[in-house]
């Protein structure tokens, strides 16, 4: 843009009539205090099951291991892929798998991305992940992906087992956004998962598992 054209545009902008800025509307009253945890758990269970998911509640580590083994045996899982996110890392699922005769691998076991992709699509029967949040009012899981929470583990296997601490159940969407993106947080991607993968054909006939897991199980750590 030459100088004359720039000056012409700036002069037009300066000469434009000033507009009155409307007053900011009053903010709505703050929301009611959130329900207690038991109400959140009941709401999450109801909404998760309505969209085809299944919920187990466990109170300690040994109960968690027994429940996971039950889920694996019920679904004929012989090999699984587990993430190493902050929820799952302390549970050391590869070691647990060796103790119960099941193979549990993690993305860290693969130096070659192509080998990891083949394993997660073609070799494992289940993907196990932690969950950053659960939205009680819709039965939705929130997964923030990074190097330790690899997205394919929750999307490629036919069975997705998500482990969710009960204190991360909420209906406060602003809280979720602040926790994920506040203080410089920048997950590479965020997935919201409501039930197993589902779609429908032109006649609205529903199918599950067309573009992701056919089964979704949530283990709630209470």
């Amino acid at each position: 843009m030459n100088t004359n054209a720039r000056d012409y545009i700036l002069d037009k902008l300066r000469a434009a009539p000033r507009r009155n800025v409307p007053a900011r509307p009053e903010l709505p009253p703050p929301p009611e205090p959130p329900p207690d945890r038991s109400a959140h758990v009941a709401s999450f269970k109801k909404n998760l099951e309505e969209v085809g998911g299944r919920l187990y509640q466990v109170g300690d580590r040994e109960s968690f291991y027994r429940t996971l083994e039950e889920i694996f045996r019920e679904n004929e899982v012989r090999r699984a892929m587990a993430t190493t996110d902050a929820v799952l890392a302390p549970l050391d699922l590869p070691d647990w798998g060796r103790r119960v005769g099941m193979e549990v691998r993690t993305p860290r076991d693969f130096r070659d991305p192509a080998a990891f992709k083949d394993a997660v699509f073609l070799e494992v029967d289940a993907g196990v992940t932690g969950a950053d949040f659960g939205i009680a009012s819709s039965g939705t899981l929130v997964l923030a992906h990074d190097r330790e929470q690899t997205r394919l583990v929750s999307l490629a296997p036919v069975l997705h087992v998500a482990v969710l601490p009960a204190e991360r159940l909420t209906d406060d969407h602003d809280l979720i956004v602040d926790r994920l993106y506040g203080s410089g947080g920048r997950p590479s991607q965020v997935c919201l998962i409501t039930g197993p993968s589902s779609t429908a054909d032109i006649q609205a006939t529903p199918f599950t598992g067309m573009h992701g897991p056919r089964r979704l199980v949530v283990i709630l750590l209470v």
Side-chain angles (χ1 to χ4, degrees):
M1 179 183 295
N2 60 43
T3 303
N4 291 338
R6 183 190 63 190
D7 291 342
Y8 172 78
I9 293 171
L10 291 175
D11 288 343
K12 294 285 285 183
L13 291 173
R14 294 188 187 103
R18 294 186 178 276
R19 297 181 179 179
N20 293 326
V21 178
R24 181 178 178 179
E26 291 187 12
L27 295 175
E32 294 295 321
D36 60 26
R37 183 177 296 175
S38 61
H40 266 151
V41 170
S43 176
F44 183 78
K45 173 179 170 62
K46 172 181 176 292
N47 291 305
L48 175 70
E49 292 177 348
E50 283 183 352
V51 293
R54 188 171 176 183
L55 182 71
Y56 292 83
Q57 298 181 52
V58 301
D60 55 49
R61 181 174 294 206
E62 290 307 313
S63 296
F64 166 78
Y65 289 142
R66 287 196 299 272
T67 299
L68 185 60
E69 183 174 0
E70 175 187 337
I71 293 167
F72 276 12
R73 297 199 185 283
E74 181 180 325
N75 289 276
E76 299 182 344
V77 174
R78 296 171 299 168
R79 299 183 183 90
M81 186 76 69
T83 55
T84 50
D85 58 83
V87 175
L88 287 195
L91 298 171
D92 196 358
L93 293 187
D95 178 68
W96 166 80
R98 286 188 288 271
R99 287 189 278 116
V100 298
M102 297 180 183
E103 181 181 353
V104 181
R105 307 187 72 180
T106 75
R108 291 181 179 180
D109 296 329
F110 298 86
R111 292 175 177 263
D112 179 10
F116 165 70
K117 187 180 294 186
D118 286 345
V120 79
F121 273 105
L122 303 175
E123 298 173 11
V124 304
D125 307 303
V128 187
T129 74
D132 292 89
F133 291 98
I135 301 175
S137 60
S138 60
T140 298
L141 297 170
V142 181
L143 275 64
H145 298 290
D146 57 19
R147 191 177 296 273
E148 305 302 334
Q149 176 70 287
T150 309
R151 187 171 61 129
L152 279 181
V153 178
S154 65
L155 297 180
V158 294
L159 170 65
H160 177 201
V161 179
V163 182
L164 173 66
E167 63 270 18
R168 300 190 184 191
L169 272 176
T170 182
D171 279 328
D172 188 339
H173 296 76
D174 290 338
L175 171 68
I176 294 174
V177 172
D178 182 64
R179 294 283 179 85
L180 294 181
Y181 293 97
S183 303
R186 290 293 183 270
S188 64
Q189 295 168 322
V190 174
C191 281
L192 276 66
I193 300 172
T194 307
S197 171
S198 61
T199 188
D201 64 11
I202 197 170
Q203 295 181 329
T205 303
F207 294 93
T208 58
M210 181 67 72
H211 305 294
R214 291 199 295 269
R215 298 183 296 279
L216 172 65
V217 175
V218 178
I219 302 177
L220 190 69
L221 305 178
V222 297

